[in-house]
Amino acid sequence: MINGYLIIFLSSVVLLGGCGNVESEFIDALNDDIESRRICMSNARINVKKWRDDDGYYLSERDLFDVKGDVNALPMLIEKGYVSDISVAMSERMSGYKLTEKGNRYFIWDEPICIGERTVTEILEYTVPAEEGGATFSNVKYAYSVDLNELGFDLDIDQKLLDNMIYGRLKGEGITNFVKTNKGWRLSLGKW
């Protein structure tokens, strides 16, 4: 009888251990997807300009309003060291402010402004893996934390703006599909 209990106990440990491994594979796959983890301001694509023969890059005065909605972010960007406080005529109708070394890290030509990233912290639930069309799939619901980068903190991003940047997801949770491959579980659509 003791051997029977021992077999049941060991079987439970193996099953539970297997679940933990699957969950850690899901977490690792999600956290390895750097591009999807980034939190960016979708409407704000700053046109960083290279002006004349100078090796510096500039934000146009017009672009400074796109950094945080309708608010002119210039005073904060100068105070926090992202741009210089010297205005330069970029054209007859537009002036700009030279990006500092710090500003060059966050304001990149025709790229969205990224203010942080998500990190998956827990797998909340997942479906029993099922086969379809010769492949095995699982639907995974997970929780994540949001970590603002230096620019995100400096812009004083409020929760409402942050919620709008995480498209179609409840704050702190997401759902995605995984497919089983010969190298482990992978995101089936390549995004989370």
Side-chain angles (χ1 to χ4, degrees):
M1 192 64 165
I2 291 176
N3 285 343
Y5 288 124
L6 185 59
I7 290 171
I8 291 171
F9 173 75
L10 290 175
S11 298
S12 299
V13 168
V14 168
L15 285 173
L16 290 174
C19 291
N21 289 337
V22 168
E23 289 183 14
S24 65
E25 281 188 63
F26 292 149
I27 290 173
D28 290 345
L30 288 162
N31 285 334
D32 286 344
D33 186 10
I34 300 299
E35 190 62 31
S36 292
R37 289 179 55 195
R38 294 180 350 156
I39 299 172
C40 300
M41 301 171 80
S42 60
N43 295 339
R45 286 190 178 277
I46 296 300
N47 294 315
V48 177
K49 307 285 187 198
K50 189 165 187 173
W51 185 246
R52 297 193 186 161
D53 293 330
D54 192 307
D55 62 349
Y57 291 85
Y58 297 83
L59 282 183
S60 74
E61 206 163 28
R62 182 182 62 227
D63 288 335
L64 291 167
F65 283 91
D66 288 337
V67 173
K68 196 177 175 201
D70 295 330
V71 178
N72 185 348
L74 177 61
M76 183 281 306
L77 292 173
I78 290 172
E79 177 190 334
K80 300 291 185 175
Y82 292 93
V83 296
S84 71
D85 59 354
I86 299 168
S87 173
V88 175
M90 298 175 75
S91 69
E92 287 180 20
R93 288 181 260 156
M94 189 183 342
S95 59
Y97 294 82
K98 186 173 182 178
L99 287 169
T100 62
E101 186 176 322
K102 181 178 177 180
N104 281 315
R105 291 194 307 256
Y106 296 101
F107 300 101
I108 301 165
W109 168 254
D110 204 28
E111 290 284 325
I113 300 169
C114 295
I115 58 161
E117 63 182 31
R118 295 178 288 262
T119 301
V120 174
T121 56
E122 177 185 6
I123 300 301
L124 300 173
E125 62 185 43
Y126 60 93
T127 59
V128 175
E131 199 166 307
E132 182 182 313
T136 304
F137 293 92
S138 182
N139 192 15
V140 177
K141 183 176 181 181
Y142 55 89
Y144 59 83
S145 63
V146 173
D147 300 309
L148 294 178
N149 62 23
E150 182 180 24
L151 179 62
F153 279 115
D154 286 345
L155 287 174
D156 192 26
I157 300 296
D158 62 28
Q159 191 60 54
K160 183 178 176 187
L161 186 57
L162 188 59
D163 288 344
N164 289 338
M165 287 183 224
I166 304 173
Y167 330 103
R169 295 193 173 100
L170 295 173
K171 182 178 152 280
E173 293 182 2
I175 298 173
T176 192
N177 292 307
F178 278 84
V179 63
K180 182 76 171 175
T181 71
N182 64 335
K183 303 239 184 211
W185 288 98
R186 298 289 177 252
L187 290 161
S188 66
L189 300 176
K191 293 268 183 200
W192 52 291

